[in-house]
Amino acid sequence: MSVSFSYDALPGRVVFGAGAARHALPDQMDRLGARNILLLATEHERPMVEELAAPLGERVAGFFTGVRPHVPVDVAAAAVAAAKDIRADCVLAIGGGSTTGTAKAIALDLPLPIVVVPTTYAGSEMTPVWGLTDGEKKTTGRNPAVLPRVVVYDPELTLSLPPSLTATSGVNALAHCVEALWFPHIGPIPRLTAEEGVLALGRALPAVVRDGADVAARSDALYGAHLAGMAFAATGSGLHHKICHVLGGAFDLPHAEVHTAVLPHVVAFNEPAAVEASARIAAALGARTAAEGIAGLIDRIGASTSLAALGMQAPEVEHAVDLLMAKRYDENPRAVDETALRLILDGAYHGRRPGQG
């Protein structure tokens, strides 16, 4: 067999296991030589985060809790200022994708290593992708400087995720795998990673939504999210993620929930032009087609699929189409035009299953 491929194997250390966040952090900080740490978290998660960081003692020199979804530029500036004020030599982010994104915003400005402890299935901790929102515009980019140096995965930290957030955060991770699989230049290693991610998330999400205290299923879901981030990092952002970034940035809609509403319709649109990738997705989910597999999984975990239910207004659909027409979709497996965007957004707005009128 003749094989030829190339991809960037991104550097970084991963520590994975139940209880890892409670015993691994001091050793990981020692490896980095960190002595002046800025700790990032939401105010809501602060008590849990302070408990996890307690073994670090006085090495935690500052605490920033101004995290907001989609990382507004003013929040990023405040986080950078906080790091400068304490002369931080490391950033420790404990939380979901918004917390990780804020840490990346600091690293984009300051040459500081990032350590991330995820508490959701966002997957951004495994990527060099950053995003900032200014007004209704969300700008994203890739820069190796924002890639976390260490990621500590602890499924016990996801036990308190409510079923609704478990479901949508999991579909967010699933979207990373799906877009990676139809990326035009995907190599065999990212393909295997994405396919295994779909398989892990497909079996884990119904189990964790049914019983949030199932540590084995939580571990499986977090493993799937880890793989999803790796696959996305090796490929890139496509039609689905571009739609979600526009909707989140322009209308301040919640990130994971937007992914859940949009993904079935993008999959249904692309499936005829991405036959091999769609067959892999369908097989991993035990379905006849990729679109049926995605929609069926979302039904089983009880996630909302309506942009209207998230607060989007009907006239905003046309505004979103206008914003999306300014973007390029060269790497999408199927040509994207105004009619296609309107079809996808209309279905996601109303929360219909793909193919329903």
Side-chain angles (χ1 to χ4, degrees):
M1 180 176 69
S2 177
V3 178
S4 177
F5 65 91
S6 64
Y7 78 103
D8 292 325
L10 299 174
R13 180 177 177 82
V14 173
V15 179
F16 194 113
R22 302 187 182 281
H23 62 71
L25 286 177
D27 179 57
Q28 301 312 312
M29 293 302 177
D30 287 344
R31 286 172 173 268
L32 295 174
R35 291 292 180 269
N36 226 34
I37 301 165
L38 178 66
L39 184 56
L40 302 187
T42 64
E43 190 63 42
H44 173 72
E45 291 187 298
R46 181 167 185 157
M48 178 269 291
V49 169
E50 288 182 330
E51 179 187 349
L52 291 177
L56 298 174
E58 293 182 356
R59 284 194 280 180
V60 176
F63 206 124
F64 182 81
T65 60
V67 173
R68 284 180 53 202
H70 308 296
V71 196
V73 290
D74 59 332
V75 170
V80 169
K84 289 180 176 177
D85 284 347
I86 66 165
R87 299 187 180 186
D89 58 10
C90 182
V91 177
L92 171 59
I94 303 178
S98 298
T99 306
T100 300
T102 305
K104 289 181 173 183
I106 295 174
L108 198 61
D109 194 277
L110 302 173
L112 296 177
I114 303 172
V115 177
V116 175
V117 183
T119 59
T120 68
Y121 307 124
S124 59
E125 67 279 353
M126 293 305 302
T127 80
V129 178
W130 57 267
L132 294 170
T133 303
D134 188 0
E136 67 173 23
K137 182 181 180 182
K138 183 166 185 175
T139 302
T140 62
R142 296 173 72 93
N143 189 322
V146 308
L147 183 72
R149 293 277 296 277
V150 180
V151 181
V152 178
Y153 287 103
D154 186 345
E156 291 182 355
L157 300 186
T158 66
L159 294 177
S160 62
L161 278 178
S164 59
L165 184 54
T166 293
T168 55
S169 182
V171 176
N172 182 4
L174 185 65
H176 298 334
C177 298
V178 168
E179 284 227 304
L181 282 168
W182 64 46
F183 190 76
H185 310 299
I186 187 173
I189 308 306
R191 181 184 293 114
L192 288 169
T193 302
E195 196 169 355
E196 173 70 2
V198 175
L199 191 65
L201 290 162
R203 68 176 174 248
L205 291 179
V208 294
V209 168
R210 183 171 57 250
D211 179 8
D214 185 339
V215 177
R218 287 285 188 185
S219 182
D220 211 12
L222 200 57
Y223 165 66
H226 164 61
L227 295 174
M230 290 178 62
F232 184 71
T235 52
S237 178
L239 171 62
H240 171 78
H241 281 81
K242 289 177 181 178
I243 291 174
C244 292
H245 288 158
V246 163
L247 295 178
F251 310 113
D252 197 27
L253 300 177
H255 185 70
E257 288 85 345
V258 168
H259 275 281
T260 307
V262 171
L263 183 62
H265 300 280
V266 174
V267 171
F269 173 74
N270 273 338
E271 189 156 15
V275 177
E276 181 184 351
S278 297
R280 291 175 182 272
I281 295 164
L285 295 175
R288 188 176 64 88
T289 69
E292 287 182 5
I294 298 290
L297 176 62
I298 291 173
D299 283 347
R300 288 198 301 279
I301 61 180
S304 173
T305 57
S306 165
L307 294 174
L310 301 179
M312 189 175 184
Q313 303 300 308
E316 293 174 334
V317 171
E318 285 303 315
H319 184 37
V321 171
D322 291 340
L323 293 172
L324 286 162
M325 284 298 295
K327 296 186 175 295
R328 298 178 64 89
Y329 305 98
D330 297 341
E331 294 178 329
N332 197 63
R334 186 175 177 185
V336 178
D337 58 17
E338 187 174 344
T339 300
L341 291 170
R342 189 173 289 110
L343 176 70
I344 291 168
L345 288 174
D346 185 69
Y349 176 78
H350 291 286
R352 291 190 290 261
R353 273 191 81 135
Q356 291 180 341

